[in-house]
């Protein structure tokens, strides 16, 4: 059976072979409950008949019924009713097991199978610490049509733990799964192929044919999942969008702790005890206005136009920025209203430099100077705001001790306790715990969760395509780490990596969106055109959202290392006035 699954995993292996297997009755997995599905014209009946089907490959389908006509898409600021096409909605689970700290774990997944199927499959990536089964709508980015509405069969999953069930306040709350080695491995990668293969099997059963093409789309932790598929399970997808990939998650978690300590040094102890809420007041709007002005003065013209976008961000170094920024130091200027404290400059520089070991080597990586620094979407993670403590404390403080350290360390979910934990960490000694193993944890979190390998040999040989969008002002996963990874891949494949891997930096953009950036773009359509029409994307058209200084502005997002340069004559808010060129100006 395993050989049959592998032979049918990629889109080009579907069609006649799979149909023949169905006709001779060998497509069902061992242990499945025989059930003849109703006629294909009876969509609702065919959907309902899926309930109760079970096998080692599928798990158990616990719900199967025609899905709702609308779905309420919510965010912290609004909600919107999204009209859905007729589809079959499925919920399924693999067998539960008992884990550490009296927890019970199971891998659960959610599918939507449209009545008007386009013959394609999309796996929707997760986010954060996962633990949510996902909506299986197939998000392809802000403003883009979800994959389900394009006719895709879509699956989402919880990566092996359930936030509503797996929650222990003494072990990081919903991060308690990290104290269980198998649950941690499922979160890192092991649950992904199980769900992908189950979903493909359901598609074959339901539609009578395998998907012609299979795709993955995810950002952040979802980007890490895309990298896991490309590196460890390369036969499952024809194309992958791995945006802002958290492929160095354990190191990034350490960097979040170091960031917290760096900014905490700005707190005046005479004002009382440092709390998570204290961080929001460490920098003022004036401080960040000065930072923005200094970065713009030093770097905004490097791409040929001063327009509030630093396309040639690789040349925007500390050597360029800091002299300009220090001219506004309160030691140098007499105007108290327009100066920034030297300690704040040092803290920001230290944060962008990233944590180092005693020999000066990076524990994670550095961050670029960019015009998104200090934006609400950047500060949300690093410093918090008037309504929310920093996510570096709230998420990083829960995840690092439970999910990334060996042995895991107990910590409560109280924000003050999380901050105390982060402040008590020692660098670089405690950073080594992400590479540690033990009798209970025979694999380190770096081995189970990091997906930073440059070895894409099998993915490349199978014809896979990988698109990696990444915000230059991402405060969570630095694009500099992603660029170094891309260059390592390029070196491995004799400087021909662009034939199957393309990185698209987004100047100004924060984590998966936001910031002063053209952050509205359709990487998924670019991917499908690359896979199905062999049209490699030289650039991806992008538009600025309403949160920017220039709503509606368009730009080309150029495939690294090229950058968008102004043609010298066209309207500056039109992407048609820009060309993708190497930083030196050669086309």
């Amino acid at each position: 059976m395993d050989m049959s699954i592998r032979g049918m995993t990629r889109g080009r292996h579907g069609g006649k072979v799979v149909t023949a297997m169905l006709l001779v009755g060998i497509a069902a997995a061992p242990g499945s409950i025989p059930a003849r599905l109703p006629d294909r014209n009876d969509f609702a009946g065919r959907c309902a008949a899926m309930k109760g089907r079970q096998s080692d490959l599928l798990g158990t389908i616990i719900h199967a019924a025609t899905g709702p006509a609308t779905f309420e898409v919510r965010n912290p600021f609004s909600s919107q009713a999204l009209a859905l096409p007729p589809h079959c909605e499925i919920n399924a689970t693999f067998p539960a097991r008992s884990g550490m700290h009296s927890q019970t774990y199971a891998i659960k997944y959610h599918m939507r199978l449209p009545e008007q199927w386009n013959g394609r499959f999309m796996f929707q990536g997760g986010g954060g610490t996962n633990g949510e089964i996902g909506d299986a709508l197939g998000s392809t980015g802000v403003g883009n049509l979800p994959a389900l509405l394009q006719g895709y069969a879509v699956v989402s999953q919880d990566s092996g733990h359930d936030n509503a069930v797996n929650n222990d306040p003494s072990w990081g709350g919903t991060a308690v799964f990290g104290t269980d080695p198998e649950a941690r491995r499922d979160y890192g990668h092991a649950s992904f192929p199980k769900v992908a293969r189950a979903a493909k099997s359901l598609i074959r059963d339901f539609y009578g044919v395998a998907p012609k093409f299979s795709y993955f789309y995810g950002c952040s932790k979802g980007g890490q999942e895309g990298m896991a598929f490309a590196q460890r399970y390369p036969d499952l997808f024809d194309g992958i969008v791995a945006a802002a990939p958290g492929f160095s998650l354990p190191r990034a978690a350490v960097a979040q702790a170091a960031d917290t300590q760096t900014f905490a040094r700005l707190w005046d102890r005479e004002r009382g005890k440092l709390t998570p809420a204290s961080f929001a007041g460490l920098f003022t709007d004036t401080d960040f206005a000065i930072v923005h002005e200094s970065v713009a003065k030093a770097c905004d013209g490097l791409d040929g136009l001063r327009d509030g976008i630093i396309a040639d961000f690789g040349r925007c170094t500390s050597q360029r920025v800091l002299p300009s920024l220090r001219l506004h130091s309160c030691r140098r200027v007499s105007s108290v209203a327009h100066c920034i404290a030297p300690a704040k400059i040092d803290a920001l520089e230290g944060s962008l430099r990233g944590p180092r070991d005693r020999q000066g080597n990076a524990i994670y990586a550095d961050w670029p100077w960019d015009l998104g620094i200090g934006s609400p979407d950047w500060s949300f993670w690093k410093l918090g705001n008037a309504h929310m403590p920093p996510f570096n404390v709230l998420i990083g403080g829960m995840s690092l001790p439970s999910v990334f350290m060996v042995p895991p360390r107990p910590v409560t979910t109280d924000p003050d306790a999380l901050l105390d934990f982060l402040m008590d960490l020692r660098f670089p000694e405690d950073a080594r715990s992400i590479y540690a193993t033990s009798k209970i944890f025979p694999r380190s979190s770096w081995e189970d969760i990091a997906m930073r390998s440059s070895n894409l040999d099998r993915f490349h040989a199978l014809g896979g395509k990988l698109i990696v969008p990444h915000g230059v002002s991402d405060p969570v996963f630095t694009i500099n780490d992603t660029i170094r990874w891309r260059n390592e891949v390029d070196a491995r494949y004799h400087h021909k990596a662009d034939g199957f891997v393309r990185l698209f930096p987004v100047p100004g953009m924060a984590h998966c969106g936001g910031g002063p950036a053209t952050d509205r773009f359709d990487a998924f359509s670019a991917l499908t055109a690359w896979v199905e029409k062999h049209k490699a994307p030289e650039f991806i058209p992008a538009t600025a959202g309403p949160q920017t200084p220039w709503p509606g502005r368009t730009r080309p997002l150029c495939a690294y290392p090229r950058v968008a340069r102004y043609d010298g004559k066209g309207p500056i808010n039109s992407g048609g006035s820009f060309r993708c060129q190497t930083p030196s100006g050669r086309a």
Side-chain angles (χ1 to χ4, degrees):
M1 182 60 193
D2 183 63
M3 292 302 293
S4 298
I5 295 169
R6 285 175 56 82
M8 295 185 289
T9 49
R10 297 189 67 82
R12 61 177 179 271
H13 295 301
K16 296 178 181 179
V17 173
V18 177
T19 302
M21 294 182 70
L22 287 168
L23 290 174
V24 298
I26 61 174
S32 63
I33 297 176
R36 182 178 295 277
L37 295 177
D39 184 88
R40 297 189 193 286
N41 294 324
D42 181 9
F43 184 80
R46 193 172 182 80
C47 177
M50 299 293 287
K51 183 176 180 180
R53 293 169 71 87
Q54 63 179 15
S55 70
D56 293 341
L57 179 60
L58 296 179
T60 301
I61 298 178
I62 58 177
H63 170 83
T66 52
T70 60
F71 183 88
E72 189 173 6
V73 180
R74 297 180 179 179
N75 63 47
F77 308 104
S78 64
S79 63
Q80 177 186 4
L82 182 68
L84 303 184
H87 67 281
C88 178
E89 184 176 26
I90 290 174
N91 290 91
T93 182
F94 287 98
R97 64 172 183 84
S98 297
M100 302 288 290
H101 302 292
S102 302
Q103 298 292 313
T104 300
Y105 294 101
I107 300 169
K108 301 172 185 176
Y109 62 95
H110 184 192
M111 281 202 81
R112 297 186 196 266
L113 305 169
E115 185 172 12
Q116 299 299 316
W117 182 45
N118 68 4
R120 294 160 176 82
F121 164 54
M122 195 254 246
F123 191 121
Q124 172 181 311
T129 55
N130 285 352
E132 302 286 347
I133 201 169
D135 57 29
L137 297 177
S139 171
T140 60
V142 176
N144 298 327
L145 197 64
L148 178 69
L149 277 66
Q150 299 181 46
Y152 286 78
V154 181
V155 71
S156 57
Q157 60 120 23
D158 66 3
S159 77
H161 61 277
D162 185 341
N163 290 343
V165 175
N166 304 123
N167 192 326
D168 186 335
S170 63
W171 285 97
T174 56
V176 65
F177 73 90
T179 66
D180 183 272
E182 188 172 342
R184 184 185 282 195
R185 189 166 183 262
D186 280 339
Y187 169 75
H189 67 91
S191 66
F192 310 161
K194 291 188 72 171
V195 171
R197 289 170 180 143
K200 290 190 175 192
S201 179
L202 280 175
I203 289 171
R204 290 192 299 269
D205 289 349
F206 193 74
Y207 295 112
V209 65
K212 291 182 292 186
F213 297 99
S214 297
Y215 297 101
F216 178 93
Y217 183 97
C219 190
S220 188
K221 177 59 173 67
Q224 179 266 357
E225 293 165 10
M227 290 292 183
F229 278 120
Q231 294 168 22
R232 298 198 180 202
Y233 310 104
D235 58 344
L236 290 172
F237 292 98
D238 300 287
I240 293 169
V241 173
F247 55 16
S248 298
L249 253 172
R251 291 176 181 168
V254 171
Q256 286 181 320
D259 246 1
T260 300
Q261 292 188 9
T262 295
F263 287 122
R265 297 187 191 106
L266 295 174
W267 179 249
D268 183 355
R269 301 290 176 175
E270 293 184 0
R271 298 174 61 187
K273 184 181 184 298
L274 176 72
T275 70
S278 305
F279 286 79
L282 295 179
F283 282 78
T284 67
D285 290 343
T286 298
D287 291 331
F288 279 128
I290 292 171
V291 172
H292 189 279
E293 177 184 334
S294 299
V295 174
K297 181 178 180 181
C299 302
D300 193 8
L302 294 175
D303 53 16
L305 180 68
R306 291 190 175 275
D307 59 350
I309 294 177
I310 303 174
D312 199 356
F313 63 91
R315 296 167 63 197
C316 191
T317 63
S318 291
Q319 288 75 15
R320 288 183 182 273
V321 173
L322 288 176
S324 175
L325 184 55
R326 286 181 175 138
L327 287 175
H328 296 280
S329 165
C330 293
R331 290 176 182 167
R332 289 177 172 264
V333 299
S334 58
S335 172
V336 178
H338 198 68
C339 70
I340 182 171
K344 295 183 181 184
I345 298 175
D346 294 342
L348 186 56
E349 181 192 7
S351 172
L352 297 179
R353 185 173 62 249
R356 306 272 167 160
D357 64 19
R358 298 197 190 286
Q359 288 72 46
N361 301 311
I363 293 174
Y364 174 37
D366 56 347
W367 273 261
W369 290 93
D370 192 40
L371 292 175
I373 293 172
S375 71
D377 299 287
W378 183 93
S379 296
F380 183 75
W381 285 88
K382 302 274 191 180
L383 300 167
N385 55 42
H387 309 288
M388 182 76 69
F391 257 39
N392 276 6
V393 173
L394 295 184
I395 292 181
M398 289 196 309
S399 301
L400 179 58
S402 296
V403 182
F404 302 118
M405 300 182 86
V406 171
R409 302 186 188 182
V411 63
T412 72
T413 57
D414 176 68
D416 290 307
L418 298 176
L419 176 58
D420 289 342
F421 169 81
L422 295 176
M423 292 300 296
D424 287 341
L425 287 173
R426 298 169 301 150
F427 292 98
E429 292 81 6
D430 286 324
R432 298 178 189 134
S433 64
I434 65 175
Y435 307 107
T437 60
S438 69
K439 184 176 181 180
I440 296 175
F441 287 87
R443 297 173 304 275
S444 69
S445 71
W446 183 257
E447 183 179 354
D448 271 347
I449 300 172
M451 299 294 153
R452 202 189 173 283
S453 174
S454 61
N455 184 347
L456 299 171
D457 290 356
R458 291 177 62 209
F459 186 71
H460 180 35
L462 288 165
K465 300 294 185 286
L466 175 61
I467 285 180
V468 185
H470 200 145
V472 178
S473 286
D474 190 325
V476 187
F477 305 127
T478 170
I479 193 174
N480 285 352
D481 188 38
T482 303
I483 287 173
R484 287 174 188 129
W485 168 84
R486 181 266 175 200
N487 290 341
E488 290 162 16
V489 173
D490 197 43
R492 181 181 181 90
Y493 298 100
H494 310 290
H495 304 291
K496 295 181 179 179
D498 268 3
F500 72 106
V501 176
R502 297 205 173 189
L503 167 63
F504 292 90
V506 189
M509 190 174 84
H511 188 54
C512 297
T518 52
D519 66 339
R520 311 295 173 92
F521 53 90
D522 192 352
F524 188 67
S525 291
L527 177 70
T528 60
W530 195 5
V531 169
E532 300 181 26
K533 300 177 182 178
H534 311 291
K535 185 179 179 181
E538 299 299 331
F539 66 90
I540 299 176
T543 303
Q547 85 285 354
T548 68
W550 1 259
R553 169 185 282 186
T554 58
R555 286 287 187 275
L557 302 179
C558 301
Y560 179 86
R562 296 185 176 185
V563 300
R565 293 189 66 87
Y566 182 50
D567 66 8
K569 54 187 177 182
I572 67 169
N573 284 327
S574 171
S577 304
F578 294 79
R579 301 290 179 268
C580 291
Q581 300 177 327
T582 60
S584 62
R586 296 190 307 272

